[in-house]
């Protein structure tokens, strides 16, 4: 039933979504044309995908601590690292899109909720090596593998924070004067997602980008996404089905855009 619901949501999105040619906002048109639809190969893709391949072939088994909504694929606590890499890591197309979004924005700080095995974190750090990346993970054993990934990648400006997001995220937000780039990829429950969004609001500014993963994961996540879009501080949203982009642009006409990827 869940897969049927998800497939229906996807087909409806594909039917309604537009390419750049159907978008009348100059800001969103440029974002689609120069960033979302930039499919040129980049060296960083090869480097990070090499790390992914190592993880896919890792036979070690770890114990998962899941503090969120669980997995759509496998909820066993004991999992092979290779299986986690196959089922839980952001696929290359989406991880590389996140890289391009961060590279375009050039944020001074990046927060990632949900480190997993660390490949997306490495993409984000490479998008702006000068940026401080705070990556938060709830599972200690998963975080330990991510730390191995960071060592292999040679990333130097990464802070991995382990614990429940409810306990770790407020501290990170408090440390920062403003929030530039926040990627919420963890928990996947309506109330938690809205809570993280609301915690971010006091520190957002006109160039902040918030990204929410799996906005059609469940009815609850879809409801959370709709509430985020309707918030008075939010001026522009871009719904790419797999992720939702949120912007705060004073003076712009409020707009919600469905974009085909």
């Amino acid at each position: 039933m869940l897969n049927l619901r998800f497939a229906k949501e996807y087909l409806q999105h594909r039917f309604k979504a537009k390419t750049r040619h159907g978008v009348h906002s100059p800001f969103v048109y440029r974002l689609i044309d120069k960033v979302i639809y930039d499919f040129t190969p980049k060296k960083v893709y090869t480097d990070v995908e090499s790390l992914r391949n190592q993880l896919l072939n890792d036979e070690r088994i770890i114990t998962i601590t899941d503090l969120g909504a669980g997995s759509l694929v496998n909820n066993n606590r004991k999992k092979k690292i290779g299986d986690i890499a196959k089922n839980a890591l952001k696929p290359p197309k989406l991880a590389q899109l996140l890289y391009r979004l961060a590279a375009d924005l050039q944020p001074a700080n990046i927060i990632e909720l949900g480190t997993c095995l660390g490949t997306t974190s490495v993409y984000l750090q490479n998008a702006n090596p000068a940026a401080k990346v705070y990556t938060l993970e709830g599972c200690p054993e998963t975080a330990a593998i991510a730390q191995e990934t960071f060592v292999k990648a040679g990333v130097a400006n990464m802070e991995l924070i382990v614990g429940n997001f409810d306990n770790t995220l407020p501290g990170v937000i408090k440390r920062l004067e403003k929030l530039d780039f926040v990627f919420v990829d963890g928990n996947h429950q309506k109330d938690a997602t809205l809570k993280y969004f609301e915690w971010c609001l006091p520190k957002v500014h006109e160039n902040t980008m918030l990204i929410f993963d799996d906005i059609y994961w469940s009815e609850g996540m879809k409801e959370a996404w709709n509430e985020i879009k309707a918030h008075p501080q939010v001026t522009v949203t871009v719904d790419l089905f797999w992720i939702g982009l949120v912007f705060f642009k004073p003076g712009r006409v409020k707009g919600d855009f469905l974009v085909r990827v």
Side-chain angles (χ1 to χ4, degrees):
M1 183 63 69
L2 176 63
N3 288 336
L4 287 175
R5 181 200 63 78
F6 194 74
K8 182 180 178 181
E9 295 282 8
Y10 179 73
L11 290 173
Q12 289 177 341
H13 186 277
R14 291 285 295 180
F15 180 75
K16 297 177 182 177
K18 301 181 183 298
T19 65
R20 61 184 177 271
H21 301 298
V23 171
H24 301 295
S25 162
F27 169 73
V28 177
Y29 182 95
R30 191 205 72 85
L31 187 71
I32 298 170
D33 188 49
K34 301 298 184 184
V35 182
I36 296 173
Y37 287 179
D38 175 11
F39 301 119
T40 56
K42 307 180 195 309
K43 181 179 181 300
V44 65
Y45 296 173
T46 302
D47 295 342
V48 181
E49 291 311 309
S50 175
L51 295 171
R52 183 194 301 272
N53 288 334
Q54 293 177 47
L55 291 165
L56 285 167
N57 292 308
D58 196 322
E59 298 287 330
R60 288 177 293 171
I61 294 175
I62 62 174
T63 301
I64 301 299
T65 302
D66 195 322
L67 302 174
S71 168
L72 292 177
V73 178
N74 178 2
N75 276 317
N76 294 330
R77 291 198 66 214
K78 297 283 188 180
K79 294 184 181 180
K80 187 190 300 184
I81 292 171
D83 290 339
I84 299 171
K86 178 182 177 182
N87 297 318
L89 287 179
K90 287 287 156 284
K93 181 178 178 180
L94 184 52
Q96 290 161 12
L97 171 57
L98 292 166
Y99 163 84
R100 296 195 300 275
L101 289 166
D104 183 65
L105 186 66
Q106 287 293 287
N109 59 71
I110 295 172
I111 298 176
E112 176 190 34
L113 274 70
T115 312
C116 196
L117 303 177
T119 51
T120 301
S121 316
V122 175
Y123 268 120
L124 292 174
Q125 178 71 89
N126 276 275
N128 182 12
K132 178 71 173 184
V133 177
Y134 303 88
T135 182
L136 282 56
E137 174 57 46
C139 174
E141 294 196 24
T142 304
I145 303 303
Q147 188 61 56
E148 294 179 9
T149 302
F150 300 156
V151 171
K152 291 176 182 177
V155 289
N157 215 5
M158 185 91 66
E159 183 173 341
L160 174 58
I161 302 168
V162 183
N164 190 309
F165 297 159
D166 287 359
N167 301 324
T168 57
L169 180 58
V172 174
I173 293 174
K174 186 177 181 179
R175 289 160 62 181
L176 298 172
E177 182 180 346
K178 61 179 183 176
L179 302 181
D180 294 337
F181 186 104
V182 181
F183 176 43
V184 180
D185 178 23
N187 203 314
H188 295 98
Q189 297 182 81
K190 176 183 177 180
D191 290 346
T193 299
L194 290 173
K195 178 168 57 180
Y196 305 149
F197 169 69
E198 289 163 3
W199 285 349
C200 290
L201 288 178
K203 297 286 185 78
V204 302
H205 55 94
E206 64 179 357
N207 292 318
T208 297
M209 182 188 300
L210 303 186
I211 304 178
F212 293 89
D213 188 60
D214 287 327
I215 53 178
Y216 291 94
W217 170 281
S218 64
E219 284 298 329
M221 284 299 293
K222 186 178 174 182
E223 290 169 5
W225 175 240
N226 286 331
E227 288 192 32
I228 289 168
K229 289 193 297 181
H231 193 279
Q233 278 185 253
V234 173
T235 54
V236 176
T237 65
V238 179
D239 180 339
L240 302 173
F241 186 78
W242 308 107
I243 58 174
L245 315 181
V246 179
F247 300 93
F248 308 84
K249 300 289 185 182
R252 292 185 185 272
V253 176
K254 193 173 181 70
D256 302 309
F257 299 87
L258 274 69
V259 175
R260 188 178 304 156
V261 292

